[in-house]
Amino acid sequence: MKWPRSKLKFIARFGYGDALPADEVQEGPVRVFGSNGPYASFSRPNTGAPAIIIGRKGSYGKVNWTQEPCFASDTTFFIDSATTRHDLRWVYWLLQALRLDEGTEEAAVPGLNRESAYDKEVTCPPPQLQRTIADYLDRETARLDGLVAAKERVLGLLAEKRRALITRAVTRGLDPRAPLRDSGIPWLGEIPAHWNTERSRWLFRERDERSVTGEEEMLTVSHLTGVTPRSEKDVNMFEAETNEGYKICYAGDLVINTLWAWMGAMGVASVNGIVSPAYNVYQPGPRLEPTFVDALVRMPVFAQEVTRYSKGVWSSRLRLYPEGFFEVFFPVPPIDEQRAVVSHIAAETAKLDAMRSATERTIALLSERRASLIAAAVTGQLPSLLP
């Protein structure tokens, strides 16, 4: 049987959410929904129950479901039993197949245009079949979501194993039989007895060379990726008219984002380039292998340690200046052992990264399967659902 086609405006009406009244904002039993989902609570609802909440601004086009009465904020549209005569759960799945996030209005703040959404053509099965489709998609997407959740847990375990592998290698070395001693440094704990420890002031020299032309490759520093060329990242930040006077950084130099060091924004450069004058650049001495330094400083526990030597009134505005950095202790294994540690980390993390990539591909395929399943079900392309 061929289903009749209709414009979305004849299927459901989008109600506008409301701004939270400033004079009566208070916490209560009702969840407040914004474009991204629930984010607060309020004393009274402005929708029926259940309800569909659609992002109108911000994360526009995102579709949320709530079984309970809620307060739809002014960044959303909502649909409940008062704004559609069709099965509400079927409407929820139908909206997900329409990719409403692709239709925006031209405005200073992009958002979902209600009239554009209303003009979308959809197929409309009879009421009983709507319920059958909704029940099927509830069941099948729950199964797929469970598989995705399991794979995401695997990603978490792989990331945890990666961190543990690096931490153990750079603080304990590779020989599990090596005798240990107390380093006397709380964050470091026990280290191999033949390793040294040293304040960074005796291991690094601050580099403050400035670019004359500003034409060198621009590097950026992140707590996620360390030091990388800006050209390799999607950076939407204000750029100065000229990079003259920026700090020169050579491959092997340690670069620390002074403002975000407490978050771990530091690492060793693998290429020559320039960095913001607000950053600090340090040249490792001959007792340190730069790649060993990179593995060490990018450990979360090291970021916590440098926070002790940072200055600032608020925790989110702490700054790590050279005088603070030079107070930090480093473990100093023999140089050949540092290189062996780095080689071990590279080999083992390559295996973990391959597993992570395979898991991410599986998640992407499951997500594609989910989207395809929804689209096929709501357009009548699954014979098993047809009478």
Side-chain angles (χ1 to χ4, degrees):
M1 182 178 70
K2 191 173 183 180
W3 299 345
R5 294 188 66 81
S6 171
K7 289 193 173 183
L8 184 60
K9 65 182 176 182
F10 300 119
I11 300 294
R13 181 171 60 83
F14 289 13
Y16 280 95
D18 301 312
L20 282 168
D23 59 347
E24 55 174 302
V25 171
Q26 55 184 299
E27 291 193 3
V30 176
R31 291 191 299 174
V32 176
F33 272 77
S35 294
N36 277 315
Y39 69 94
S41 62
F42 192 51
S43 58
R44 58 180 173 82
N46 62 354
T47 72
I52 302 166
I53 311 298
I54 309 160
R56 181 166 68 91
K57 294 181 178 178
S59 296
Y60 50 83
K62 184 173 181 179
V63 183
N64 293 287
W65 173 269
T66 175
Q67 198 68 31
E68 306 295 331
C70 77
F71 188 95
S73 77
D74 57 353
T75 63
T76 68
F77 295 119
F78 70 88
I79 302 171
D80 57 18
S81 59
T83 60
T84 183
R85 58 185 176 83
H86 294 273
D87 184 88
L88 199 60
R89 193 67 181 168
W90 171 78
V91 175
Y92 167 75
W93 291 117
L94 175 69
L95 292 173
Q96 294 201 45
L98 294 181
R99 296 301 306 269
L100 295 176
D101 57 330
E102 295 178 351
T104 65
E105 60 187 357
E106 296 298 327
V109 180
L112 176 64
N113 183 288
R114 186 169 69 163
E115 298 308 315
S116 296
Y118 278 172
D119 279 340
K120 289 183 178 289
E121 282 202 350
V122 300
T123 53
C124 185
Q128 182 57 48
L129 196 49
Q130 290 179 17
R131 288 189 288 274
T132 300
I133 291 169
D135 289 344
Y136 172 80
L137 288 175
D138 284 349
R139 211 169 42 245
E140 291 302 308
T141 57
R143 183 179 63 83
L144 292 172
D145 290 345
L147 293 173
V148 168
K151 293 299 181 181
E152 288 176 339
R153 287 193 294 272
V154 170
L155 288 180
L157 292 172
L158 288 172
E160 184 178 333
K161 185 172 183 179
R162 194 180 199 279
R163 287 191 297 268
L165 184 153
I166 295 171
T167 299
R168 182 167 184 83
V170 299
T171 60
R172 291 289 185 90
L174 304 180
D175 184 0
R177 297 166 299 177
L180 304 176
R181 68 174 178 87
D182 184 359
S183 67
I185 304 166
W187 74 270
L188 193 54
E190 291 187 324
I191 60 174
H194 64 286
W195 286 17
N196 294 320
T197 57
E198 195 74 80
R199 285 193 190 276
S200 58
R201 69 173 65 255
W202 310 118
L203 300 171
F204 294 87
R205 179 179 67 85
E206 184 180 7
R207 188 191 298 280
D208 192 10
E209 300 176 28
R210 302 298 175 120
S211 172
V212 176
T213 63
E215 295 177 355
E216 296 88 348
E217 182 162 28
M218 186 69 183
L219 306 179
T220 185
V221 186
S222 162
H223 69 289
L224 297 175
T225 56
V227 182
T228 52
R230 176 174 283 188
S231 59
E232 296 179 3
K233 304 191 73 173
D234 184 15
V235 180
N236 297 313
M237 296 175 60
F238 169 79
E239 294 188 23
E241 292 183 4
T242 175
N243 294 334
E244 293 177 14
Y246 273 50
K247 289 185 177 179
I248 291 177
C249 166
Y250 295 99
D253 283 351
L254 170 63
V255 185
I256 298 179
N257 183 327
T258 310
L259 184 60
W260 297 105
W262 63 273
M263 189 184 282
M266 60 188 86
V268 172
S270 59
V271 295
N272 297 340
I274 54 175
V275 297
S276 165
Y279 294 175
N280 289 109
V281 181
Y282 303 94
Q283 178 186 8
R287 296 169 63 192
L288 291 175
E289 167 63 37
T291 48
F292 179 83
V293 173
D294 187 63
L296 178 68
V297 302
R298 292 179 61 191
M299 296 190 306
V301 68
F302 188 83
Q304 295 171 15
E305 174 65 8
V306 300
T307 300
R308 297 176 52 219
Y309 301 97
S310 300
K311 294 182 178 179
V313 178
W314 296 287
S315 59
S316 61
R317 287 294 179 266
L318 291 174
R319 290 170 168 80
L320 181 65
Y321 297 111
E323 59 267 26
F325 171 71
F326 284 142
E327 292 297 310
V328 179
F329 276 92
F330 275 68
V332 188
I335 195 72
D336 58 340
E337 196 168 341
Q338 293 181 42
R339 290 168 182 154
V341 164
V342 170
S343 296
H344 171 77
I345 290 174
E348 294 303 312
T349 56
K351 299 174 188 176
L352 295 174
D353 290 346
M355 294 174 64
R356 184 201 67 216
S357 296
T359 304
E360 289 173 341
R361 286 195 297 272
T362 301
I363 290 174
L365 289 172
L366 288 169
S367 298
E368 290 174 9
R369 168 63 180 158
R370 188 184 194 274
S372 298
L373 188 69
I374 295 170
V378 299
T379 55
Q381 298 178 45
L382 293 181
S384 61
L385 295 179
L386 301 179

